[in-house]
Amino acid sequence: MHTENKDREDLAHIVINTNASIIVPTYKEVQNIPFMIDRIQRLRETLKVDLELIFMDDDSRDGSVEAVARAGFDWVRIIVRTENRGLSAAVIDGFRAARHPILICMDCDLSHPPEKIPQMILALGSGQQFVIGSRYVPGGSTDDDWGLFRWLNSAVATLLARPLTSARDPMSGFFALRKADFDRAQDLNPVGYKIALELIVKCGFENVGEVPIHFANRAHGESKLTLREQLKYIQHLRRLYIHQFGNAMHFLQFMVVGASGVVVNLGVLTILLWLGLPETVSLAGGILVSLVSNFLLNRRFTFSYARENAILPQFLGFLGASAVGMAVNYAVALTLRTQVLVDVPYGIYIAALTGIVCGMVFNFLGNRYLVFRKRYVEK
Ligand SMILES: Nc1nc2c(ncn2[C@@H]2O[C@H](COP(=O)(O)OP(=O)(O)O)[C@@H](O)[C@H]2O)c(=O)[nH]1
Ligand SMILES: [Mg+2]
């Protein structure tokens, strides 16, 4: 079993000679700060290298500044930020302020064992570009009382990041990288909580190492990871996917929007039939309503860069580009229904679905090569 003591024993065998800066984002962590300083101090004594510890505080006003001052170490600082608040932004500012060639980021809640830092630094020295203190590699673990919801939540979040990196625990807030690599990073977008994932993707790190850790439950205070942050994660992922996969991602989004249009189309068709309207009108109604919902969703997501443009001309362009697709949809559906699927059970739905698929191909081509052509290619 992993315990703090076991981590300390491992430490005794490790010799490193690189100085490192430990960046700790904090928000209302006054209770944990003295313990953090204490753990890092013990690490310094064992390692005999210069470790600086920087708390990046978002103006907690809870006595954190005084707690750091009370410790009275010249290798510990606290930087109080009053603008551009947020976890990732605080970490990035901390990395910029760091003095040493290796950067470590960790939580202030004592859930990350500082005793693993030397192993992480060693991994950086042996060819890794980015090293994660990982819960999900062999030897890694979490405290036992993770409920099903928390476990599932973490598993889904990690799974969604899989196409971006093969790392097992890219959600971790405990990681190490070289300052020189960080300084080269471009267009970092400090949204949300997942700063490790942002760095891995934007820096294009391919050699990502993982050192197993035991992730302890937060010592004091409460988690600041709210539901709102988790929703932001979806937006963050979308940006990273676009960064990584470019046009393919636009196509995928177009398809996802199209799929939602299928649901809308069939839903409206069902309602109109239920209201007693003839099939000819109901088919047309399903197509028209789904066309509007597809337009709105494509404007909002797939081609969101064009959101600032006036909506009416854009809609007309969309209608024009989709007109061929729409006609194809209607013609195919109606022909199938009246000529081929006359007495087939659910024939109207098979006809509508086939019409949708044929119409979609034409819709995509029309939008791809007419309405959103230029911007689309440029990303
Ligand atoms: N500077 C700063 N730190 C934050 C902010 N939100 C959370 N933190 C710190 O970031 C670390 C991770 O947050 P935590 O609440 O432990 O999230 P969890 O580990 O996912 O439950 C902790 O040290 C927090 O104090 C913020 O908005 N600004
Ligand atoms: Mg935490």
Side-chain angles (χ1 to χ4, degrees), residues 229-259:
E229 287 295 342
Q230 307 213 34
L231 291 178
K232 268 203 218 156
Y233 173 57
I234 303 291
Q235 286 182 342
H236 189 192
L237 271 183
R238 186 177 154 256
R239 286 210 195 108
L240 292 177
Y241 272 76
I242 290 174
H243 178 90
Q244 192 95 322
F245 303 115
N247 283 341
M249 185 57 193
H250 283 289
F251 179 71
L252 190 72
Q253 289 182 105
F254 191 84
M255 287 329 228
V256 170
V257 169

Side-chain angles (χ1 to χ4, degrees), residues 38-85:
D38 189 51
R39 291 273 288 273
I40 304 295
Q41 190 192 7
R42 280 187 268 164
L43 187 66
R44 276 174 62 94
E45 282 164 6
T46 327
L47 289 179
K48 311 223 167 13
V49 293
D50 196 3
L51 294 179
E52 74 169 336
L53 175 59
I54 310 180
F55 294 100
M56 297 301 298
D57 184 69
D58 270 354
D59 206 14
S60 304
R61 300 178 190 217
D62 62 347
S64 293
V65 173
E66 293 76 6
V68 171
R70 223 175 295 127
F73 293 117
D74 60 359
W75 50 272
V76 185
R77 297 187 261 165
I78 181 164
I79 296 179
V80 177
R81 308 170 72 249
T82 51
E83 281 167 20
N84 187 21
R85 298 174 58 146

Side-chain angles (χ1 to χ4, degrees), residues 241-300:
Y241 272 76
I242 290 174
H243 178 90
Q244 192 95 322
F245 303 115
N247 283 341
M249 185 57 193
H250 283 289
F251 179 71
L252 190 72
Q253 289 182 105
F254 191 84
M255 287 329 228
V256 170
V257 169
S260 82
V262 176
V263 177
V264 172
N265 186 327
L266 297 185
V268 171
L269 174 66
T270 306
I271 294 170
L272 295 184
L273 287 175
W274 180 76
L275 288 174
L277 292 173
E279 288 187 349
T280 42
V281 178
S282 302
L283 274 175
I287 293 171
L288 282 173
V289 175
S290 64
L291 207 69
V292 173
S293 71
N294 276 7
F295 168 72
L296 293 175
L297 289 172
N298 274 321
R299 188 170 192 268
R300 175 71 183 76

Side-chain angles (χ1 to χ4, degrees), residues 25-27 29 56-58 86-87 90 107-109 193 218 222-225:
T26 59
Y27 187 67
E29 299 283 8
M56 297 301 298
D57 184 69
D58 270 354
L87 172 57
D107 278 14
C108 194
D109 53 11
Y193 247 57
R218 162 180 272 285
E222 280 176 13
S223 170
K224 282 95 198 168
L225 179 59

